């Protein structure tokens, strides 16, 4: 099974209640690598994404108005399976929306992210 590709997104910093668990999850699910800047911040590197995670008491979640970080996948079902196998919790299973399909998940550090794929033509 190949790793899904991700579109580059604008620089984003996401809160995590458990930085070590967040890093371990993304390393397992997607092979992301992190650079640690002290115990409170870890930058994403080599994933086509700009940003990182910082230690915080409140995670990002759509219910509290936090913006979702949306990743692109060229194989949505395989990506959802990877997320679940790595310990992510599916918040909203794959559904259609204008422009494609997507699902939302909660990573072990508590932040919610969405993964989308273009609708097949």
């Amino acid at each position: 099974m190949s790793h899904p590709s991700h579109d580059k997104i604008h620089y984003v910093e996401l809160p995590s209640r458990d930085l070590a668990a967040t890093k371990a999850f993304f390393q397992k699910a997607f092979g992301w690598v992190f650079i640690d800047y002290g115990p409170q911040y870890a930058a994403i590197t080599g994933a086509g994404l700009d940003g990182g995670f910082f230690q915080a008491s409140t995670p990002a979640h759509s219910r509290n108005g936090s913006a979702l970080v949306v990743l692109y996948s060229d194989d949505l079902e395989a990506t959802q399976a990877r997320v679940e196998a790595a310990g992510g919790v599916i918040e909203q299973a794959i559904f259609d929306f204008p422009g494609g399909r997507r699902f939302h998940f909660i990573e072990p550090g508590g932040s919610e992210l969405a993964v989308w794929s273009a609708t097949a033509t």
Side-chain angles (χ1 to χ4, degrees):
M1 183 184 299
S2 64
H3 286 280
S5 65
H6 297 116
D7 277 351
K8 190 176 183 70
I9 58 174
H10 294 295
Y11 188 87
V12 63
E13 293 182 333
L14 287 169
S16 172
R17 288 180 302 190
D18 186 339
L19 196 56
T22 293
K23 287 169 43 182
F25 167 79
F26 282 103
Q27 288 169 340
K28 182 177 180 182
F30 302 127
W32 292 5
V33 176
F34 293 88
I35 298 174
D36 292 324
Y37 292 95
Q40 300 290 314
Y41 185 78
I44 301 164
T45 182
L49 306 172
D50 286 333
F53 290 88
F54 63 93
Q55 188 74 36
S57 58
T58 303
H61 200 286
S62 60
R63 286 196 300 266
N64 64 20
S66 300
L68 291 173
V69 173
V70 180
L71 308 173
Y72 177 81
S73 171
D74 52 10
D75 187 343
L76 206 58
E77 285 77 13
T79 300
Q80 182 171 299
R82 280 186 174 275
V83 164
E84 291 178 294
V89 176
I90 303 303
E91 177 79 355
Q92 191 168 3
I94 296 172
F95 64 96
D96 293 330
F97 75 103
R101 303 162 61 231
R102 66 195 241 183
F103 71 92
H104 295 196
F105 70 93
I106 307 292
E107 53 86 17
S111 286
E112 178 183 358
L113 292 90
V115 182
W116 76 280
S117 182
T119 303
T121 55

